């Protein structure tokens, strides 16, 4: 997942010819028919549009091409064709990972091992956090099951970004043409939805071959209250570590169970995180000149052409104070979640698992070198979590435990305004020893000011 399929980040330089001029991959300019039709404007210079679209295609692939084109043009849903996304993700999973490992159903023995690992993990966590268990059940998923279970969360994450792109695709036509080009705009948006469906499907399918649970990226991707591990991927993860398989599974179960506690008992946290993603997405702008080039040179026989354009830096964050603040909020929120989990799991495992330190460092390095979390967020919104923030957050939570105890540390999750900020991550000691805000007194005052319940005889309940 080294590419960024949604094209985020700075756009790369266009390739140059030998004379130092920029190449024009289509051999034409921005003028002419937006879709490339008309005299001399057909792809390849052909006079017959059907020959241009399908002349060089293997006849055996013709049916599949028509089916794909039909799916793209007939889609009338939201900004992403999620049916196509699921289809592509399942196909990607079925192909197996680059090392040749194919997906497989989870057997009874692995299911039982996962359930036992989560049960034991919750027992260990009881002693290091005041938050009770958040896992009503524990499940062992195949890669395909992970795809099915997490797609609703991906939809919530991706739709805000895709919506902006879909609107931009309709806006690239000249204003005087837009009133007459309703069907064309609809077709372009349908194609955009399909392209995004392909992109997110491919990304999710690849990610399914890497993740070990439902919370690898710091967000609750699976159903609430369901701790999930992927036995096949856990085996691959621990293959060359020299650590017993049971210890690897148990350490990862600790991380999964800790995430579940946090998301189950901090009711505002899920929306806080997803809202931060959406806030950042609202600040993304579309390079309309690149989009105009892509649409103007569109070859109907090559739907991958627009997909390639999406990969070439068409979308960039706004360089505004508001966008920078949104980025800081998102990075800090994710770092606090991951840092808390890291600190709590380490406290639970360090005296029980001989490999706890090694596994902790392996996971940190995995994130720092482009693991699932960093690459997935780069794919979605151009964001890579900075490992320095994760380590800073972990140290801050550990210091809070020493200074205020488990209850004082976990009590900060009662309200988002009580949590450390990005500045606090730079100065953890200052935050740890700062006087605490006491929200309980405010709640008490509000409670006393509220009208008391009265019985039918008009007397206060307290008079009885």
């Amino acid at each position: 997942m080294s590419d960024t399929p949604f094209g985020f980040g700075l756009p790369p330089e266009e390739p140059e010819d030998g004379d130092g001029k920029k190449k024009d991959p289509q051999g034409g300019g921005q003028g002419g028919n937006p879709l490339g039709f008309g005299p001399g404007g057909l792809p390849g210079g052909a006079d017959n549009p059907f020959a241009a679209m399908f002349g060089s295609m293997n006849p055996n692939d013709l049916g599949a091409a028509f089916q794909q084109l039909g799916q793209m043009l007939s889609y009338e849903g939201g900004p992403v064709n999620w049916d196509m996304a699921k289809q592509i993700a399942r196909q990607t999973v079925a192909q197996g990972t680059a090392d040749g490992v194919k997906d497989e159903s989870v057997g009874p023995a692995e299911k039982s091992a996962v359930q036992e690992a989560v049960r034991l993990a919750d027992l260990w966590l009881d002693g290091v956090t005041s938050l009770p268990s958040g896992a009503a059940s524990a499940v062992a998923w195949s890669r395909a099951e992970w795809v099915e279970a997490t797609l609703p969360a991906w939809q919530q994450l991706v739709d805000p970004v895709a919506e902006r792109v879909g609107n931009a695709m309709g806006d690239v036509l000249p204003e005087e043409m837009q009133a007459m080009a309703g069907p064309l705009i609809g077709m372009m948006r349908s194609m955009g939805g399909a392209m995004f469906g392909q992109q997110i499907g491919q990304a999710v399918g690849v990610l399914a071959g890497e993740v070990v649970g439902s919370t690898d990226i710091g967000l609750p991707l699976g159903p609430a209250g369901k701790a999930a591990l992927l036995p096949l991927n856990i085996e691959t993860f621990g293959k060359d570590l020299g650590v017993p398989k049971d210890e690897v599974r148990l350490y990862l179960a600790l991380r999964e169970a800790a995430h579940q506690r946090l998301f189950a008992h901090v009711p505002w946290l899920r929306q806080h995180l997803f809202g931060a993603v959406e806030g950042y997405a609202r600040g993304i702008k579309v390079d309309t000149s690149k989009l105009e080039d892509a649409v103007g040179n569109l070859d109907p026989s090559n739907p991958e052409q627009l997909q390639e354009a999406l990969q070439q830096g068409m979308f960039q964050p706004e360089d505004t104070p508001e966008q920078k603040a949104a980025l800081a909020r998102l990075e800090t929120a994710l770092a606090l979640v991951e840092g808390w989990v890291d600190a709590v799991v380490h406290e639970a495992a360090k005296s029980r698992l001989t490999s706890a330190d090694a596994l902790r460092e392996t996971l940190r390095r995995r994130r720092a070198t482009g693991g699932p979390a960093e690459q997935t967020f780069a794919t979605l919104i151009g964001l890579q979590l900075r490992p320095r923030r994760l380590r800073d957050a972990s140290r801050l939570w550990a210091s809070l435990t020493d200074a205020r105890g488990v209850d004082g540390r976990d009590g900060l999750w009662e309200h988002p305004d009580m949590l450390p900020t990005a500045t606090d991550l730079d100065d953890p000691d200052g935050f740890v020893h700062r006087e605490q805000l006491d929200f309980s007194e405010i709640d008490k005052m509000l409670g006393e000011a509220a009208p008391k319940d009265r019985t039918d005889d008009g007397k206060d309940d307290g008079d009885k």
Side-chain angles (χ1 to χ4, degrees), residues 112-149:
S112 178
V114 166
Q115 291 169 352
E116 177 60 23
V118 173
R119 185 199 66 78
L120 184 57
D122 261 335
L123 185 64
W124 289 3
L125 289 171
D126 283 340
V128 296
T129 173
S130 62
L131 300 179
S133 173
S137 62
V139 294
W141 282 340
S142 66
R143 293 166 178 172
E145 289 171 326
W146 182 89
V147 167
E148 294 280 350

Side-chain angles (χ1 to χ4, degrees), residues 299-319:
D299 179 354
S301 70
N302 184 14
E304 289 80 10
Q305 184 181 359
L306 182 56
Q307 181 175 340
E308 292 170 2
L310 296 180
Q311 296 175 345
Q312 295 176 1
M314 193 178 296
F315 318 119
Q316 304 173 45
E318 290 275 13
D319 188 21

Side-chain angles (χ1 to χ4, degrees), residues 214-454:
S214 70
T215 55
D216 286 47
I217 67 169
L219 291 172
L221 295 180
K226 185 172 288 187
L229 295 175
L230 282 72
L232 180 61
N233 292 356
I234 290 176
E235 184 173 352
T236 301
F237 170 79
K239 185 177 179 181
D240 299 321
L241 296 181
V243 177
K245 180 179 177 180
D246 289 346
E247 285 200 24
V248 175
R249 183 195 300 114
L250 184 51
Y251 191 86
L252 296 174
L254 280 165
R255 288 183 55 82
E256 178 74 10
H259 277 103
Q260 293 295 334
R261 287 183 182 229
L262 199 56
F263 290 120
H265 299 292
V266 183
W268 53 265
L269 182 57
R270 177 188 175 92
Q271 188 53 46
H272 180 74
L273 288 169
F274 280 77
V277 173
E278 185 173 354
Y280 183 76
R282 281 197 296 267
I284 288 176
K285 63 181 179 181
V286 179
D287 187 337
T288 54
S289 64
K290 282 183 173 290
L291 191 55
E292 287 172 0
D293 287 345
V295 173
N297 295 316
L298 188 62
D299 179 354
S301 70
N302 184 14
E304 289 80 10
Q305 184 181 359
L306 182 56
Q307 181 175 340
E308 292 170 2
L310 296 180
Q311 296 175 345
Q312 295 176 1
M314 193 178 296
F315 318 119
Q316 304 173 45
E318 290 275 13
D319 188 21
T320 63
E322 293 79 12
Q323 181 68 352
K324 291 177 180 177
L327 175 60
R329 284 194 299 271
L330 180 53
E331 286 186 330
T332 302
L334 290 166
L336 290 174
V337 169
E338 288 295 280
W340 184 88
V341 168
D342 180 79
V344 166
V345 167
H346 182 68
E347 187 65 26
K350 65 181 182 182
S351 62
R352 296 182 172 99
L353 296 178
T354 57
S355 58
D357 288 337
L359 288 169
R360 183 190 201 188
E361 190 59 29
T362 297
L363 284 165
R364 283 179 165 183
R365 290 182 179 180
R366 188 184 192 219
R367 300 292 294 273
T369 56
E374 288 76 27
Q375 292 302 330
T376 300
F377 274 96
T379 296
L380 294 176
I381 54 174
L383 172 69
Q384 288 196 347
L385 300 181
R386 291 178 290 172
R388 183 178 65 84
R389 297 284 82 182
L390 300 178
R391 291 177 184 269
D392 288 347
S394 181
R395 284 195 294 268
L396 186 146
W397 288 119
S399 297
L400 282 167
T401 307
D402 294 338
R404 304 183 186 180
V406 168
D407 290 342
R409 177 200 66 198
D410 293 347
L412 293 177
W413 290 106
E414 291 179 3
H415 194 281
D417 290 344
M418 298 176 67
L419 289 176
T421 64
T423 302
D424 295 324
L425 292 181
D426 294 328
D427 180 22
D429 290 338
F431 179 83
V432 168
H433 299 294
R434 187 183 309 158
E435 185 176 352
Q436 293 178 252
L437 294 174
D438 190 352
F439 279 76
S440 63
E441 288 300 319
I442 298 176
D443 292 339
K444 182 179 178 181
M445 293 171 59
L446 291 174
E448 291 175 350
K452 295 181 179 179
D453 292 335
R454 305 182 69 87

